[in-house]
Amino acid sequence: MVPEISVLIPQEEIQKRVEELGSKITRDYSGKSLTLLAVLKGAFVFMSDLARCIDLPLTMDFLGLSSYGDKTETSGVVRITSDLTQPVKDRDLLIVEDIVDSGLTMNFLYENIKTRLPRSIKVCSFLDKPGRRRVSIDVDYVGFRIEDRFVVGYGMDYKGLYRNLPYLGALDIDSLSGEVEK
Ligand code: IMP
Ligand code: MG
């Protein structure tokens, strides 16, 4: 069965918002040693666009995390599936995420990264679903706040598909079941 996907945020609107975030980050991190740290796989599209809207010297690294078992709800158990390639000690870190939902993934990541003694850690998430929070998380830069819908596109998937949609779509998951890969 092919699921129904409706456009929630069109490509042009995403581009405009990412440019705004990039300008703000450029101002806020002027003179600092910025490292962007993207959470794979979902954040790779956002990271790629965002990085090109930041007018500063910066480095990038990637981290693979997984928490979902076989559903569209988090299992609450987060693990690192692929770690950073460089030390982050004394760097100003900006964690780049696709979406903060329950907050469990970001909470785990934040606590883990903190032990590596960066100079600072902030969080930039393309989407925020505040209605589903199970742990309190400060998201310093938010692209869009959305309601509790299951979304795909712009890096986000359902069963590994739809990451390449250039817009953000809402998927009707009531009739579907299966694994959500991050
Ligand atoms: P959390 O631990 O519940 O905050 O889960 C965050 C992660 O779950 C995100 O980084 C996404 O990879 C994934 N996720 C949460 N909501 C959605 C969604 O609506 N669509 C696709 N992936 C999602
Ligand atoms: Mg993610």
Side-chain angles (χ1 to χ4, degrees):
M1 176 192 161
V2 179
E4 289 268 316
I5 297 174
S6 51
V7 179
L8 212 57
I9 308 176
Q11 188 173 5
E12 303 70 37
E13 211 178 309
I14 293 177
Q15 191 186 335
K16 192 166 149 271
R17 184 66 188 131
V18 173
E19 283 167 13
E20 287 170 3
L21 288 175
S23 302
K24 178 145 182 31
I25 292 165
T26 302
R27 288 196 297 278
D28 293 355
Y29 282 88
S30 163
K32 298 200 169 153
S33 51
L34 177 60
T35 293
L36 300 180
L37 202 165
V39 182
L40 294 172
K41 301 170 186 161
F44 87 100
V45 174
F46 178 43
M47 165 88 132
S48 157
D49 284 350
L50 183 68
R52 284 175 288 175
C53 293
I54 301 175
D55 187 15
L56 290 173
L58 56 81
T59 61
M60 295 182 223
D61 209 341
F62 301 88
L63 202 134
L65 291 181
S66 180
S67 79
Y68 283 15
D70 55 359
K71 299 201 211 85
T72 55
E73 300 256 327
T74 185
S75 65
V77 180
V78 184
R79 65 194 172 87
I80 294 181
T81 54
S82 134
D83 208 347
L84 299 175
T85 60
Q86 299 289 322
V88 293
K89 191 167 183 295
D90 297 331
R91 305 285 307 171
D92 292 297
L93 291 186
L94 185 59
I95 300 175
V96 179
E97 248 293 31
D98 50 0
I99 178 165
V100 178
D101 187 24
S102 70
L104 292 168
T105 305
M106 188 51 72
N107 187 52
F108 167 87
L109 182 57
Y110 197 94
E111 294 305 318
N112 181 290
I113 294 292
K114 218 164 66 178
T115 65
R116 307 181 198 202
L117 307 177
R119 184 181 300 141
S120 66
I121 315 177
K122 281 195 193 180
V123 176
C124 176
S125 185
F126 176 61
L127 299 176
D128 186 12
K129 264 193 216 172
R132 304 225 330 150
R133 233 22 140 262
R134 285 165 62 185
V135 283
S136 144
I137 289 286
D138 284 333
V139 185
D140 302 279
Y141 304 93
V142 177
F144 299 93
R145 289 213 162 78
I146 60 162
E147 312 172 357
D148 183 13
R149 311 272 302 267
F150 193 80
V151 291
V152 293
Y154 203 64
M156 283 160 279
D157 76 304
Y158 175 72
K159 285 186 166 183
L161 294 173
Y162 313 115
R163 293 190 195 277
N164 58 322
L165 296 179
Y167 55 86
L168 186 76
L171 188 70
D172 178 17
I173 53 157
D174 291 344
S175 54
L176 301 165
S177 64
E179 184 151 347
V180 177
E181 212 189 297
K182 285 200 277 185

